[in-house]
């Protein structure tokens, strides 16, 4: 395939990726957006294969590894539960970063294969591109691995900090730029390997101090990093499709991170440089013993909701863990038959990644016009008879508005405490992912429903 024809098809592929992002911006068009993305990626892969040229042993190796990787990816996608989707995204980000590092290594060791010059005499522009791509890719890989470990529960979700951490990160960051300079000047391989190792360390150090409450922002940020890494390597490979795709992913991830930080009343740089939560969190066990809690059962919850005129559902990670979205939809249908007005309130960072709750509700065929974001529905809680909170902890915590010492102070939360009655479904009084106690548990208008979210919802349906 000629270079001009390849460029045309890559341009078409890029347009399809833009349309995919446009489609994914709304639940109603998200399925169509996915189709555009699939079509764009298919075109990009086929054109890349045709551009390689003759059928040779290397071509066979590419097909074999494509088949192996595709099979593994498909197997994981079919088997992964929705609750583990954030971990999956973090894992995939790490692979994108590692791929960028491997391509940069291959280009540095054998530049003539990429038309970049000879060993020790690589074109300056290409050397800068592969250095940046390798550095960002390495940061993405190690940072995504830490995010995966935190989300999976293998590593504590609490911030891990030490004295002088920010200064160390700054020194390492400056060192990376210095290493790129000396690498471009001397082209010594030692600088290249030290650059990659230093970048791996920086990625690790950037993510470990970020607490669980900021994980949705971390996922979005790493998504952006993986895009910029891909774009940098795209310049090295002179592949316009990779440049376009990487730039789209990088910019959209950065914009999403900014929007989320704005929605949480947080500075993006503040999140990256420290995260929420302190390592010296006060114990919540003592406060739980001192504060009275009202608990109820499914019959109590059904009675309150049957006699309500309006109910607002607040889903969270507890709903995802219990896979209670289908039971929730069934409960809502029963309430509607009794003439109860029902709507859903979604916090921007409910769950473990952006859009987590929206995807789960869409899976249960919840009508899009019943789902509202925080800004759209927060004022409605004051006129609501019952708020049914199903596993949403930190995003409903009133201390975010009242306690300046709280790690989540200043974060906009759902005003569920303003409802006449609050039904809070939770297994125990344990703190949320941010590691702090929820003052909502102890409010006079709150009735705690201690049970698995799915089982409690199913029991409520029986009583309805």
């Amino acid at each position: 395939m000629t270079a001009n024809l390849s460029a045309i098809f890559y341009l078409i592929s890029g347009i399809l990726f833009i349309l995919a992002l446009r489609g994914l911006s709304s639940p109603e068009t998200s399925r169509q957006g996915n189709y555009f993305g699939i079509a764009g990626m298919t075109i990009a892969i086929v054109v890349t294969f045709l551009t390689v040229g003759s059928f040779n042993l290397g071509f066979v190796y590419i097909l074999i590894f494509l088949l192996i990787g595709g099979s593994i990816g498909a197997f994981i996608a079919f088997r992964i539960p929705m609750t583990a989707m954030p971990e999956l995204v973090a894992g995939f980000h790490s692979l994108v970063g590692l791929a960028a590092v491997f391509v940069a290594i291959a280009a540095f060791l054998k530049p003539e294969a990429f038309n970049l010059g000879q060993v020790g005499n690589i074109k300056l522009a290409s050397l800068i591109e592969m250095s940046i791509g390798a550095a960002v890719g390495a940061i993405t890989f190690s940072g995504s691995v830490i995010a995966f470990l935190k989300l999976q529960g293998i590593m504590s979700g609490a911030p891990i900090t030490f004295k002088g951490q920010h200064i160390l990160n700054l020194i390492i960051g400056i060192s990376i730029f210095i290493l790129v300079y000396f690498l471009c000047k001397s082209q010594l391989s030692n600088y290249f390997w030290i650059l990659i190792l230093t970048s791996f360390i920086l990625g690790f150090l950037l993510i470990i101090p970020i607490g669980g409450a900021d994980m949705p922002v971390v996922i979005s940020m790493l998504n952006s990093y993986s895009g910029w890494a891909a774009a940098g390597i795209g310049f090295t490979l002179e592949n316009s499709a990779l440049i376009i795709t990487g730039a789209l992913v990088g910019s959209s991830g950065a914009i999403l991170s900014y929007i989320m930080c704005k929605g949480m009343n947080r500075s993006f740089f503040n999140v990256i440089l420290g995260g929420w939560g302190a390592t010296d969190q006060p114990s919540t066990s003592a406060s739980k013993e001192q504060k009275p809690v009202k608990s109820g059962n499914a019959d109590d919850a059904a009675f309150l909701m049957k006699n309500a005129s309006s109910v607002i559902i607040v889903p969270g990670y507890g709903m995802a863990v219990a896979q209670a979205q289908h039971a929730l939809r069934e409960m809502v249908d029963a309430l509607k038959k009794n003439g109860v007005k029902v709507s859903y309130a979604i916090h921007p960072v409910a769950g473990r990644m952006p859009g987590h709750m929206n995807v789960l509700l869409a899976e249960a065929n919840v009508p899009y016009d019943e789902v509202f974001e925080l800004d759209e529905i927060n004022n409605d809680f004051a006129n609501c008879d019952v708020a049914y909170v199903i596993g949403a902890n930190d995003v409903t915590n009133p201390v975010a508005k009242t306690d300046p010492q709280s790690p989540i102070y200043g974060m906009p939360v759902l005003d569920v405490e303003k409802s006449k009655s609050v039904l809070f479904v939770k297994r125990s009084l344990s703190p949320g992912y941010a590691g702090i106690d929820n003052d909502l548990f102890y409010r006079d208008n709150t009735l705690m429903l201690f049970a698995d979210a799915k089982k409690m919802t199913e029991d409520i349906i029986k009583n309805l």
Side-chain angles (χ1 to χ4, degrees), residues 202-284:
L202 181 60
F204 173 80
L205 292 174
L206 280 175
I207 305 302
I208 58 169
I210 300 178
D214 281 336
M215 270 302 128
V217 180
V218 172
I219 294 293
S220 178
M221 176 193 70
L222 291 170
N223 178 52
S224 178
Y225 286 179
S226 68
W228 296 125
I233 295 304
F235 281 104
T236 300
L237 299 177
E238 296 183 351
N239 187 305
S240 56
L242 196 55
I243 295 171
I244 294 171
T245 307
L248 285 173
V249 173
S251 56
S252 60
I255 293 169
L256 179 59
S257 299
Y258 170 76
I259 292 173
M260 292 176 66
C261 285
K262 187 177 179 182
M264 295 185 295
N265 194 31
R266 294 287 285 177
S267 161
F268 179 75
F269 292 103
N270 187 279
V271 171
I272 300 309
L273 293 176
W276 284 351
T279 52
D280 299 325
Q281 288 289 351
S283 172
T284 57

Side-chain angles (χ1 to χ4, degrees), residues 20 26-27 39 65 74 84-85 87 90 120 136 154 178 191-192 194 210 228 241 280 288 298 339 376 408 430-431 438:
S26 170
F65 286 115
M85 195 58 65
E87 295 95 305
V136 177
I154 299 173
I178 294 173
Y191 289 123
F192 183 72
I194 295 173
I210 300 178
W228 296 125
D280 299 325
K288 289 175 190 173
E376 299 173 305
I408 63 171
S430 60
N438 191 343

Side-chain angles (χ1 to χ4, degrees), residues 161-182:
T161 59
F162 56 86
K163 191 174 181 180
Q165 191 170 43
H166 299 330
I167 296 175
L168 178 61
N169 289 347
L170 179 62
I171 292 172
I172 294 175
I174 294 173
S175 298
I176 288 175
F177 285 103
I178 294 173
L179 285 167
V180 171
Y181 170 77
F182 281 109

Side-chain angles (χ1 to χ4, degrees), residues 213 264-267 270 276-277 281 394 397-413 434 436:
M264 295 185 295
N265 194 31
R266 294 287 285 177
S267 161
N270 187 279
W276 284 351
Q281 288 289 351
D394 298 322
N397 198 337
V399 299
K401 299 175 287 185
T402 60
D403 184 6
Q405 303 303 317
S406 172
I408 63 171
Y409 181 70
M411 167 181 161
V413 293
I436 57 174

Side-chain angles (χ1 to χ4, degrees), residues 203-426:
F204 173 80
L205 292 174
L206 280 175
I207 305 302
I208 58 169
I210 300 178
D214 281 336
M215 270 302 128
V217 180
V218 172
I219 294 293
S220 178
M221 176 193 70
L222 291 170
N223 178 52
S224 178
Y225 286 179
S226 68
W228 296 125
I233 295 304
F235 281 104
T236 300
L237 299 177
E238 296 183 351
N239 187 305
S240 56
L242 196 55
I243 295 171
I244 294 171
T245 307
L248 285 173
V249 173
S251 56
S252 60
I255 293 169
L256 179 59
S257 299
Y258 170 76
I259 292 173
M260 292 176 66
C261 285
K262 187 177 179 182
M264 295 185 295
N265 194 31
R266 294 287 285 177
S267 161
F268 179 75
F269 292 103
N270 187 279
V271 171
I272 300 309
L273 293 176
W276 284 351
T279 52
D280 299 325
Q281 288 289 351
S283 172
T284 57
S285 57
S287 61
K288 289 175 190 173
E289 293 174 1
Q290 297 170 0
K291 297 178 182 178
V293 174
K294 292 192 294 183
S295 63
N297 54 36
D299 186 50
D300 299 325
F303 176 80
L304 284 172
M305 286 196 277
K306 262 194 305 189
N307 291 282
S309 59
S310 64
V311 172
I312 297 179
I313 311 290
V314 183
Y317 190 65
M319 182 192 76
V321 171
Q323 298 183 17
Q325 61 268 27
H326 296 283
L328 185 65
R329 167 68 195 273
E330 191 177 343
M331 184 190 80
V332 170
D333 288 343
L335 288 172
K336 287 179 181 177
K337 288 179 182 178
N338 288 328
V340 180
K341 178 187 175 184
V342 183
S343 50
Y344 299 81
I346 307 293
H347 192 279
V349 294
R352 293 291 184 270
M353 66 180 291
H356 199 180
M357 294 301 105
N358 301 76
V359 173
L360 288 172
L361 294 178
E363 184 185 354
N365 295 316
V366 171
Y368 299 129
D369 57 0
E370 294 178 4
V371 181
F372 299 92
E373 299 295 333
L374 180 145
D375 292 337
E376 299 173 305
I377 200 169
N378 230 12
N379 291 332
D380 295 345
F381 282 104
N383 301 315
C384 169
D385 293 315
V386 177
Y388 185 73
V389 184
I390 180 166
N393 201 332
D394 298 322
V395 298
T396 61
N397 198 337
V399 299
K401 299 175 287 185
T402 60
D403 184 6
Q405 303 303 317
S406 172
I408 63 171
Y409 181 70
M411 167 181 161
V413 293
L414 292 162
D415 296 332
V416 292
E417 77 279 1
K418 294 182 179 179
S419 303
K420 293 178 182 177
S421 298
V422 178
L423 300 174
F424 206 123
V425 185
K426 207 171 184 300

